[in-house]
Amino acid sequence: MLIREAASEDWPAIWPFFHAIVSAGETLTYPLDLGREDAEGWWFVPAPSRVVVAVDGAGTVLGTAKMNRNHMGNGSHIASATYLVDPAHSGRGVGRALCQYSVDWARAEGYRAMQFNAVVETNTRAVKLYQSIGFDVIGTLPEGFNHPTEGYVGIHIMHKAL
């Protein structure tokens, strides 16, 4: 697996799984009806943020990550990231590779920590993955997410010092 800078030419490969994940409404706080053009603008953020894709040997996009400042101004020393893995390639270490890549990127860019603002508590695979990389749950907003089948569930704030 290779992780490289994403290009606009990657969007046609990203969009199908982006749309499937977002419209399922189980893990992200994005609008469920986010259209293709708006979604591309939300995902492909300008520098100093960064967007990457994980690809296999044939060049197939397996997943993507968006890395950015968590806040502006006096909070700009904390990074954040969002990850999307094509469900067809789940369980192959793509999410772990993207997460570790983003941690390494944030450290190299001089960020002091990483914070994830809204990790849905029912997304247990993601929570366990982030914890295995050194993130801690530092708080949970009760009923902060309206899950389509579980109802109102908490969203974790997760943090890792760099």
Side-chain angles (χ1 to χ4, degrees):
M1 175 181 349
L2 168 72
I3 297 176
R4 62 163 172 78
E5 196 79 27
S8 59
E9 294 80 23
D10 294 312
W11 185 245
I14 295 169
W15 168 247
F17 66 87
F18 181 105
H19 178 66
I21 292 166
V22 170
S23 65
E26 297 177 347
T27 58
L28 296 172
T29 59
Y30 290 7
L32 302 181
D33 61 351
L34 190 59
R36 183 178 179 142
E37 186 175 311
D38 287 338
E40 184 176 10
W42 281 36
W43 197 251
F44 280 90
V45 289
S49 299
R50 187 159 186 224
V51 179
V52 297
V53 289
V55 297
D56 66 12
T60 302
V61 174
L62 309 173
T64 182
K66 175 177 73 165
M67 302 167 284
N68 50 274
R69 291 184 179 121
N70 194 42
H71 295 290
M72 302 307 256
N74 289 345
S76 64
H77 59 285
I78 308 298
S80 190
T82 305
Y83 314 100
L84 295 169
V85 175
D86 184 338
H89 303 289
S90 177
R92 295 177 46 193
V94 177
R96 174 174 299 283
L98 288 168
C99 187
Q100 188 60 59
Y101 184 95
S102 70
V103 168
D104 295 343
W105 168 83
R107 188 176 288 122
E109 290 296 310
Y111 289 98
R112 295 179 51 90
M114 284 191 79
Q115 178 179 317
F116 301 147
N117 299 318
V119 181
V120 179
E121 70 182 354
T122 55
N123 190 358
T124 56
R125 289 180 67 190
V127 172
K128 288 178 186 175
L129 168 63
Y130 303 153
Q131 288 173 325
S132 75
I133 292 177
F135 285 83
D136 294 310
V137 174
I138 59 170
T140 303
L141 175 62
E143 297 189 350
F145 187 84
N146 188 6
H147 192 281
T149 59
E150 302 293 324
Y152 289 100
V153 299
I155 51 175
H156 296 317
I157 300 167
M158 299 188 75
H159 174 268
K160 175 180 175 58
L162 300 176

